[in-house]
Amino acid sequence: SLGAGGVYLTPIGGRLVLASRASVALAESELEHRQLGMGLTGVVPGTLLGDRNINGEFELRWQVLRNGSVPFGPVWLSDIQLSGGMEAATLHRTEGWTEAAGWTAGLATVWDIFGARPTLMGVWAAQPLWGSPELLGGGPRLVLRFEQSF
């Protein structure tokens, strides 16, 4: 497989940032585990598979707390970030192209473990709003992450 992409962060002012991402990928294999998924947070990986994928996302990120030092026993809370955004993708399958678009929202925190190692931990919710019928109808998907989504 082959892929390329990029991320761009635009400071809006104060503690507000617009994060955007775009990527394209190509896979040449009949093996299911080597094919590409939709690449959207709101879609369970492996729901739809194909050989070409184009996706993009933008997210508005607001740091509620930045460089704080709130003690919780052996760990300190240093950052809290709220985010909301939209994501869209198109995937080429044997039946043709399938598109999807949806929303994302997240709460991320950064903890200093024993005051020495900052670790991001957060929960994101996402759900397709438009697209192939296989992708619609369920509730929001919750994802626990230990890094920024992009």
Side-chain angles (χ1 to χ4, degrees):
S1 65
L2 176 67
V7 173
Y8 191 73
L9 301 174
T10 307
I12 295 176
R15 298 177 180 200
L16 204 56
V17 171
L18 179 64
S20 53
R21 171 183 64 91
S23 65
V24 61
L26 171 68
E28 290 294 326
S29 178
E30 297 299 317
L31 301 173
E32 192 172 289
H33 71 276
R34 295 209 183 258
Q35 292 185 344
L36 304 167
M38 286 298 289
L40 300 179
T41 306
V43 176
V44 176
T47 302
L48 296 178
L49 298 173
D51 61 358
R52 284 173 268 175
N53 174 313
I54 302 169
N55 65 34
E57 180 176 2
F58 71 88
E59 190 173 77
L60 195 58
R61 298 175 180 167
W62 176 49
Q63 277 199 301
V64 177
L65 175 67
R66 182 190 309 171
N67 298 326
S69 186
V70 182
F72 287 91
V75 299
W76 287 264
L77 176 65
S78 61
D79 294 86
I80 299 173
Q81 174 190 281
L82 298 176
S83 63
M86 298 293 294
E87 58 183 1
T90 182
L91 177 71
H92 183 264
R93 304 163 57 197
T94 54
E95 302 86 21
W97 289 92
T98 299
E99 295 84 19
W103 61 268
T104 66
L107 168 66
T109 57
V110 175
W111 298 87
D112 288 330
I113 300 172
F114 298 108
R117 181 182 174 157
T119 303
L120 186 134
M121 181 173 37
V123 63
W124 277 260
Q127 182 177 17
L129 296 173
W130 171 84
S132 176
E134 303 101 306
L135 305 176
L136 303 175
R141 179 172 178 252
L142 296 177
V143 178
L144 179 65
R145 288 194 174 129
F146 295 93
E147 61 185 10
Q148 286 284 10
S149 53
F150 61 93

